[in-house]
Amino acid sequence: MFVWEGSAAVCVNDHRQLLMVLQGTPEEPKRWSVPSGGKKPGETLQECCVREVWEETGFVVRIRREMWVKRMKSNDAQITVHYFETEIIGGHLRLHDPDGLIHEVAWISPEALEHLELSFPEDRDPLLSVLRSRRSP
């Protein structure tokens, strides 16, 4: 069985909006996700998270804490994704995606998140829970 491990960034701004990316190959429908991707050899999960955010959005983030871990099986693969709470500490909106899979970056409100086509629909409820638990400015 193939084992895949990666990281995902949960980054919320002062307006209770979530940093998300519109992703997909040229052939497939584009769907929304938090910045995420697979861990490279020799890289920690935290380093993976920081790299993926920079590649997909142009922002530099700091890890605050690990929030949850999602484990699932898909065909012959065991998939584990570690979700980290992050905060932006630098950079600016600019795609560096070496895979060419990111088409847009946006700050998404809880109301919009309820209706978006997501790459990983199982992420909707935990992400909405994070957004709803934040206080407004």
Side-chain angles (χ1 to χ4, degrees):
M1 178 174 280
F2 174 73
V3 175
W4 186 94
E5 190 170 34
S7 298
V10 178
C11 186
V12 179
N13 68 16
D14 291 339
H15 302 288
R16 287 184 35 211
Q17 297 169 319
L18 180 66
L19 182 63
M20 298 190 78
V21 295
L22 184 64
Q23 63 179 13
T25 65
E27 306 82 38
E28 66 187 3
K30 310 306 179 262
R31 294 189 172 96
W32 291 92
S33 172
V34 294
S36 59
K39 185 171 90 66
K40 293 183 176 183
E43 186 176 54
T44 67
L45 289 163
Q46 293 85 350
E47 290 167 341
C48 171
C49 185
V50 170
R51 175 182 52 77
E52 288 292 341
V53 173
W54 184 80
E55 287 178 356
E56 295 182 3
T57 71
F59 292 119
V60 178
V61 296
R62 176 177 71 87
I63 304 290
R64 286 188 172 163
R65 65 184 174 102
E66 186 168 0
M67 299 180 79
W68 71 87
V69 178
K70 177 172 70 175
R71 290 181 175 84
M72 52 193 218
K73 290 185 180 175
S74 176
N75 300 326
D76 280 350
Q78 174 63 45
I79 299 166
T80 304
V81 183
H82 297 258
Y83 288 74
F84 292 95
E85 179 182 14
T86 63
E87 69 175 316
I88 293 175
I89 58 171
H92 59 277
L93 184 59
R94 190 172 119 207
L95 301 183
H96 302 278
D97 180 29
D99 303 318
L101 301 176
I102 305 302
H103 304 280
E104 186 179 340
V105 178
W107 290 100
I108 304 296
S109 70
E111 297 77 22
L113 179 56
E114 289 179 10
H115 305 288
L116 287 181
E117 284 282 327
L118 298 181
S119 299
F120 309 102
E122 68 275 9
D123 289 355
R124 187 183 320 273
D125 287 341
L127 292 171
L128 281 169
S129 179
V130 168
L131 289 176
R132 289 180 175 142
S133 71
R134 298 294 167 102
R135 293 184 182 171
S136 296

